[in-house]
Amino acid sequence: MSAPHRSRRKLRPSLYISVDIEADGPIPGPYSMLSFGAAVAGRHEPDGTYLPYDPQERTFYRELSPIGEDFVPEALAVSGLDRARLVREGAEPATALAEFTAWVREAATGAQPVMAGYPASYDWTFLYWYLLRFTGESPFGHSGCLDLKSLYAAKANLPLRAVAKGTMPRQLLSTRRHTHHALDDAIEQADLCNNLLAWEP
């Protein structure tokens, strides 16, 4: 007699949230996340249906007070942010990350939130570290992260290190400019997320 069938956990939709961060160095802790932006990209249903949203409709953006004095001038220059101004005017990380967590949970009502990034490794490292350091938890859990670079490599059957945005079909890329403003780039990245998830090579 076969073993009893175990009931499967009911699958929930995934809500993809595109996140971009700007920082003043390569790793969190010694260096600071200076700003981050997020845009809701779309919702993936358990039956495989993907529902893209207008990423400008639901967004979040904060500029943060640095957590230390060290910074890499080249990294700071990429963001275009004034670190001295952020020391005076930037949001306290604990406050900003708590507000972000509440925003994610409200946006993802009825679904599981997933952070999407290109590549996700850098942005996820800072975001996850900051969430745990300043709020004690992550609304994405420890693994709710979609790397759009890896997704493209898998769909296109290419080695990961051969992938760059310049190698992608033009129809996958956003028509928006990449400005290195965290919210602008999160919205642009959400377009890429939506296009990739709908793409059938």
Side-chain angles (χ1 to χ4, degrees):
M1 185 174 178
S2 61
H5 176 70
R6 293 184 179 180
S7 60
R8 294 182 178 179
R9 182 167 57 97
K10 184 178 179 182
L11 293 176
R12 295 167 61 195
S14 290
L15 187 82
Y16 295 108
I17 298 175
S18 171
V19 177
D20 184 81
I21 74 102
E22 299 294 334
D24 62 12
I27 57 172
Y31 304 102
S32 303
M33 181 167 72
L34 300 181
S35 69
F36 68 107
V40 175
R43 181 179 170 113
H44 212 162
E45 299 295 338
D47 65 2
T49 304
Y50 185 68
L51 306 172
Y53 298 143
D54 178 351
Q56 296 183 103
E57 286 188 358
R58 282 187 288 180
T59 63
F60 186 96
Y61 178 73
R62 291 291 186 277
E63 295 181 353
L64 305 177
S65 177
I67 59 174
E69 296 183 359
D70 292 338
F71 66 94
V72 177
E74 295 83 0
L76 181 61
V78 169
S79 72
L81 292 167
D82 182 339
R83 202 172 188 279
R85 178 183 65 80
L86 293 178
V87 170
R88 300 188 306 270
E89 302 174 5
E92 289 298 322
T95 300
L97 273 296
E99 292 170 346
F100 176 65
T101 296
W103 177 84
V104 169
R105 288 181 171 154
E106 181 180 4
T109 300
Q112 293 178 301
V114 175
M115 179 270 195
Y118 183 98
S121 52
Y122 181 76
D123 303 85
W124 172 261
T125 297
F126 271 91
L127 182 66
Y128 186 71
W129 188 93
Y130 263 73
L131 284 164
L132 265 62
R133 171 67 178 81
F134 292 105
T135 74
E137 60 180 340
S138 164
F140 304 104
H142 69 278
S143 62
C145 175
L146 175 66
D147 178 36
L148 299 176
K149 186 172 185 176
S150 298
L151 177 62
Y152 174 74
K155 282 197 165 193
N157 194 26
L158 289 172
L160 181 65
R161 298 305 288 258
V163 171
K165 286 185 180 178
T167 69
M168 294 182 176
R170 181 163 301 208
Q171 70 267 24
L172 293 178
L173 303 176
S174 176
T175 58
R176 308 177 206 266
R177 291 179 57 240
H178 191 81
T179 66
H180 290 291
H181 182 284
L183 182 55
D184 289 347
D185 291 353
I187 292 171
E188 177 210 14
Q189 189 174 258
D191 288 338
L192 175 62
C193 179
N194 287 339
N195 293 340
L196 269 173
L197 286 165
W199 184 49
E200 295 181 5

